[in-house]
Amino acid sequence: MQTIFRGKHFITLTEWTKEEIETLLECSYELKRAFAMDRPTIYLPNKTVFLMFFEQSTRTRNSMEAGITQLGGHAHFLDTSNMQIAHGEVAKDTAVILSRMGHAIACRNCFWKVGNAYLREMAKYSTVPIINMQDDLYHPLQAIADLMTIQEKKGRDLRNLKVSIIWAYATTHKKPISVPVSQVLLFPRWGIDVTLAYPEGYDLPDWVIEKAKKYAEENGGSLKITHDQEEAYKDADVVFPKNWGNWVTNEDTAVIDSLLEANKHWKCTEKMMSLTAKDSLYMHALPADRVNEVEDSVIDGPHSVIYDEAENRLHTAKAVMALTMGGR
C-alpha cells in the first residue's frame, strides 16, 4: 500500500498509480464506515481548503465543504466572479497567495481548452495540493466515486465486468467531456470491459482512446467503441447514459444544434434497460436531464444507484483531502 501523499496534486487519476488509487479507495471505505457509525474523523484539524468555482455546483461543492468539516477543517467557498480573477488576475498570483494562506486549493474550471491549463498553471506555482473539482478534460472526483460504487455493488474484483458509457440526449447546457473521459481512462485499469457508445460527432479525443486501450491491454480489460446504443446496453452489468458536448468536433458554445436534435432517440428507457443484465446498475453523475436523458421510471427504478453514487462523492472527497492535505 502506498502511503506517502502529502502535497500531491489531484488533477487527473492518470497521474496516480494504481497502488495510490487503491489506497485512496481503502481510505474512502474507512471514512464511510466511520461516518455510518458517527465516529469522529478529525484528521485535518484547523486546516483550510479554498474552493474556487468558475461555475455552478451541487454535489462537488457540498461534498468538499461537508467533507473538510467532518475532517476537522474549514472550506472557503470562492465564487470566482467575485474574486480579482474577474478583473484579470492570473492563475500564478492566485495560486501563490492562496497557498500561503491555507492548505489546499480546489478549483472547478470547465471552459473548453482553458480549464485544465488553468489548473496546471496553478499547480506550477502552488506550494499546497491542487484538487481538480472538474475541468474541461477530467473529473477525477466523480470517476473515483463511480469506481467505489461499482465495487460496493459488484465486488472488488471487476475483471470482465461489462460497463457501458453511453451518450444521451440533453438540452440543459453544452456539457464537458470530462466525466466520460475520466471513466474511460480509469475503468480499464481495473480489468473492466468498457463499451463507449455515442452518435458520430460526439467523439472523445484520440489520445484518450489510445491511452484507454493501453490501460486495457496492460490490465486485462477492453475498450470497444460503437455508434449503436442498443449494442452498448445489451448484457451490460453497469450503464452510464449521460450527455456530453461535441467539443472535439465543434467548439461552438451553442447548446442546441442540428446534430443534437438528430439524436433525440439516444435515451435511457425501460426498453433499453431490458437489454441489460438482470442485476444491472443504472448510474449517473447527476444532475440528470430527466425526460430527455432518462425516463423517470429508470432513474427512480430498481436498477438505479444514483444516490449511493452521489453519497460516495463525500467519502472519496474526504479521502483525497485527508491524504493530500495531511498524511505523511
Side-chain angles (χ1 to χ4, degrees):
M1 176 185 284
Q2 174 59 263
T3 61
I4 300 174
F5 290 87
R6 180 178 288 180
K8 186 174 179 63
H9 298 309
F10 188 73
I11 296 177
T12 168
L13 288 163
T14 62
E15 293 168 351
W16 283 45
T17 67
K18 192 172 177 181
E19 185 181 3
E20 288 171 333
I21 297 170
E22 291 281 12
T23 302
L24 176 59
L25 287 166
E26 289 297 331
C27 185
S28 301
Y29 284 119
E30 179 183 326
L31 288 163
K32 187 171 184 176
R33 283 191 290 269
F35 185 71
M37 294 183 286
D38 199 24
R39 191 173 68 215
T41 53
I42 310 301
Y43 299 138
L44 299 176
N46 304 314
K47 295 289 181 74
T48 297
V49 57
F50 297 102
L51 309 182
M52 294 173 52
F53 284 93
F54 285 80
E55 61 179 14
Q56 300 88 343
S57 173
T58 298
R59 278 146 297 279
T60 301
R61 174 182 175 178
N62 287 288
S63 62
M64 292 291 287
E65 286 195 12
I68 191 65
T69 299
Q70 292 167 24
L71 293 170
H74 179 72
H76 287 205
F77 171 74
L78 303 175
D79 180 342
T80 56
S81 67
N82 292 320
M83 295 174 67
Q84 292 299 341
I85 290 169
H87 291 160
E89 183 166 272
V90 299
K92 174 185 176 180
D93 295 344
T94 302
V96 170
I97 296 303
L98 291 182
S99 63
R100 290 190 179 194
M101 294 181 176
H103 305 90
I105 304 169
C107 181
R108 167 172 282 189
N109 185 337
C110 296
F111 294 110
W112 181 244
K113 291 188 174 179
V114 173
N116 187 257
Y118 189 89
L119 267 72
R120 299 286 183 191
E121 186 72 3
M122 284 205 302
K124 184 177 178 182
Y125 296 102
S126 174
T127 55
V128 299
I130 298 297
I131 299 173
N132 184 357
M133 297 192 297
Q134 189 178 18
D135 63 32
D136 54 326
L137 297 177
Y138 303 109
H139 197 348
L141 288 169
Q142 182 63 52
I144 193 63
D146 291 340
L147 182 60
M148 179 182 181
T149 308
I150 295 171
Q151 284 188 340
E152 286 180 329
K153 306 299 181 183
K154 297 295 185 181
R156 298 293 184 95
D157 185 354
L158 301 178
R159 288 174 294 181
N160 303 127
L161 195 76
K162 182 176 180 181
V163 175
S164 294
I165 300 164
I166 307 166
W167 184 91
Y169 174 78
T171 60
T172 53
H173 64 290
K174 189 169 181 178
K175 301 181 183 184
I177 63 172
S178 45
V179 170
V181 165
S182 295
Q183 292 170 336
V184 84
L185 288 173
L186 180 63
F187 296 163
R189 298 174 74 182
W190 265 257
I192 293 172
D193 292 325
V194 176
T195 297
L196 177 64
Y198 56 87
E200 293 188 30
Y202 286 94
D203 312 65
L204 300 185
D206 289 341
W207 62 266
V208 170
I209 302 305
E210 291 170 9
K211 185 174 286 189
K213 287 181 176 178
K214 182 173 181 290
Y215 283 144
E217 184 178 343
E218 291 172 347
N219 296 281
S222 65
L223 176 65
K224 178 172 68 176
I225 296 175
T226 180
H227 303 303
D228 180 347
Q229 62 173 327
E230 291 193 13
E231 181 182 355
Y233 280 99
K234 186 171 175 55
D235 299 324
D237 296 302
V238 184
V239 294
F240 287 90
K242 184 192 178 302
N243 179 260
W244 64 84
N246 57 334
W247 293 105
V248 174
T249 58
N250 181 3
E251 296 184 11
D252 193 298
T253 57
V255 177
I256 299 174
D257 58 20
S258 58
L259 180 63
L260 179 72
E261 290 303 290
N263 290 288
K264 279 186 173 182
H265 60 289
W266 281 71
K267 177 178 178 177
C268 186
T269 63
E270 292 275 10
K271 179 182 177 182
M272 290 298 171
M273 289 302 296
S274 71
L275 301 174
T276 65
K278 182 180 179 181
D279 58 348
S280 66
L281 305 178
Y282 166 86
M283 298 180 67
H284 195 293
L286 301 180
D289 189 351
R290 286 173 177 256
V291 180
N292 284 329
E293 278 185 307
V294 58
E295 291 179 342
D296 282 344
S297 58
V298 172
I299 196 171
D300 296 323
H303 294 275
S304 178
V305 294
I306 58 168
Y307 300 127
D308 293 338
E309 179 185 5
E311 182 196 337
N312 283 339
R313 290 293 309 276
L314 169 66
H315 308 302
T316 50
K318 285 189 291 187
V320 170
M321 289 186 285
L323 290 168
T324 62
M325 294 173 62
R328 66 181 185 91

